Amino acid sequence: MAGRWRRITVTTASAGLILPGAGLAAQAHANPAASYLSVHCSAGAHTLAAPGSHLYPDTGNGGYTSLHTLVHLVYDANANQFLPGNRVVLTDRATQCLTSFSLDFERKSANTRAGPDMSVQSVAVNGRPARFTFVQPTYPGDPHGQNDPNPAAHEASQTNPVGGPHHNPLPPACSPALRNISVPADALDGTQCPANKLVITPSAPVRSGSVFTVTVSYTGRPGVHNDGDGTTEGWFRAPDGGFVTTEPVGSEDWMPLNDYPTAKPTYDFSDTVTAGRTVLANGVLVSVKRNPASGEFPGGSVTWNWHSPAPVASYLVEDSVGNYHLTERVADNGTKFYEAQDTAIPAKQRHKNQAIMNLQQNITEFESQFNGTYPFTSDGVIVGTPRASFEEEMQTMITFAGGFIDTDVLYHENMHQWWGDNVTESGYNMTFFKEGLATVAEFLYHARLAENKAGGPYSPKGQAAFQASLVKQFNQIYAGKSRFWTVAPSNPEPAGLFSGASTYDRPGAAYLALRQILGHGNFTQALQQIQRTYGGSHITEPEFEAGFTQWLPVQTSTCRARLSQFFTQWFDTAYPAGGGRNRPQITGPGLDGPDFYNASGGCS
Ligand SMILES: [Zn+2]
């Protein structure tokens, strides 16, 4: 699309503005609150990524905390269009005095077939009209500020520095939106980033500490984002509606938001859609109300209200609309289980899918033995028809694409409800942390099958088979010579973030080794304590490593140092190819490879 790479300069935000108002100092003597107004106000940061980041450095927005979001879709499911009245209302708390602040919103895309084509009608802050403009992202940490006129400060790349045809030495401002998976990963390195930062200037600065609302009204066609690996995510066109699955950044292709994993507002959805369609969102279904025919909906419409009391990370917001058959069931402990399938799926396949979906309560109970109490009031599965290239752990509403579900993957995605959803990674480079634990759920599923075959969970033979299966699965991965030793799990490129075993098998095996090092009981205690401490929020790599270190049974300085080395080897080290010596050299008791403990049970 023409204009996608055109640099659009900022016209509104200005840093370091002092609030206007003569006599403020004099007033301050009379009114202590007025002195507050005399502090410097400035533009909020246009990114939450750390300086030097090369994984989606364009995403997230600073200067405020996201508290609550009301999504109010007005959606014509036949035409796949948001109609007038379609809007989001974001409630935020300012963490500085703000002259302007930003959101992420990819309203247009070079992908003219399946990408978005939306436009913003108006923006209001606390109900008052506000000015808005779209700007390009700037690389995080740019000393010339986020309005740097140098075009090189706004370029896409897989790597830091950008490189590309002009050998740009600066860090990237965004991750490339590759056209498809067969394009070379570096094809767009050094090209200009699209202007997807929606910068909003309120009529008066927003005071630090104040809670404010932002209403963005927009219309048009939602769509998918072309990702750093050439796959797509976002709002997929489904028969008579849409199917929403968005990791890592595709939520901004159907709604403006603070698109960063640590931004976790709670959600309400009040969606008015074509009569006869079903809306599926996070949390619990509150009400469904039929509306009479109107100019926009000649055949009538229906309003679905969903409510998520739990905060939801940016990439886990669910809001599919279409011909879905939805059922609800309440478990003995009060958890609601939702099951939804697109009615376009052939009946025979729907029947097969349902048998697997019905396992979700049992899987949740099994996984609770390791993670502790299930963190949400509901859980659910949607099977959609579009060929999205992945399944995803949308919070309390797991999405399966292509009309098909399998048990292995349901164990994986359901494990994410604790890891990723309830306790969220602090940045994209920590994707391995939650994918590793979700991979552990697949290991546990295979161990469970072995256990059942050998006599069940209450028999010594069954328990031995369970443990033997986990050891075997670890040893298979540890013996591998594949490329996953050559990429540090905590430092992937966008092109390999979700395709590399370094994000999945390698950290998964590390957790199995950690379980042997800590002891099975202590490992479980560590998982549950991390859930209690960080649930509803997010966690950094040092925080979650400390969460395990606390439960190390031998608390000597040498053992603590060795565990730190273990984490560095498994999570942070890129080895030369080949395996053998070129892989982590600390494993755990009973596993292949050098043991964590020495012969006398200490560390050396
Ligand atoms: Zn996963």
Side-chain angles (χ1 to χ4, degrees), residues 546 549-552 554-567 596 603:
T549 305
Q550 251 182 292
W551 291 92
L552 189 61
V554 186
Q555 287 285 346
T556 60
S557 58
T558 46
C559 280
R560 292 172 72 95
R562 191 159 167 81
L563 190 58
S564 168
Q565 215 184 343
F566 169 90
F567 288 132
F596 181 86
C603 303

Side-chain angles (χ1 to χ4, degrees), residues 247 391-393 409 412-413 416 419 431 434-439 442 498 503-504:
E247 188 173 10
E391 274 66 53
E392 191 185 345
E393 64 269 24
V409 184
H412 175 112
E413 306 302 344
H416 273 309
W419 305 107
T431 301
K434 52 116 179 169
E435 293 305 338
L437 280 160
T439 303
E442 297 178 59
F498 296 103
T503 301
Y504 295 88

Side-chain angles (χ1 to χ4, degrees), residues 21-28:
L24 269 179
Q27 283 173 24

